[in-house]
Amino acid sequence: MANVPKIGKAVYKGPSVVKEIIYGITLGLAVGGLWKMHHWNNQRRTKEFYDLLEKGEISVVAEDE
């Protein structure tokens, strides 16, 4: 009975501050990158629209039939 191994319990140590900071930075960079790609796409579309408008290939005025 003297050499009976003790069974350890899982002890919750609380959040790791360093891990939480790394997770936050990683998530922030990922979402920020997606937002920038969305913004660049909108800028490209707007520029293409105004270029076509300036060339006269498109019009914002409805044609009379």
Side-chain angles (χ1 to χ4, degrees), residues 14-47:
S16 170
V17 176
V18 175
K19 278 187 187 177
E20 293 287 332
I21 291 171
I22 291 171
Y23 291 157
I25 289 172
T26 304
L27 188 62
L29 288 173
V31 172
L34 289 173
W35 179 253
K36 280 305 272 185
M37 289 187 338
H38 171 74
H39 180 70
W40 288 333
N41 188 37
N42 281 346
Q43 277 186 320
R44 180 184 54 80
R45 289 217 231 129
T46 303
K47 185 180 182 310

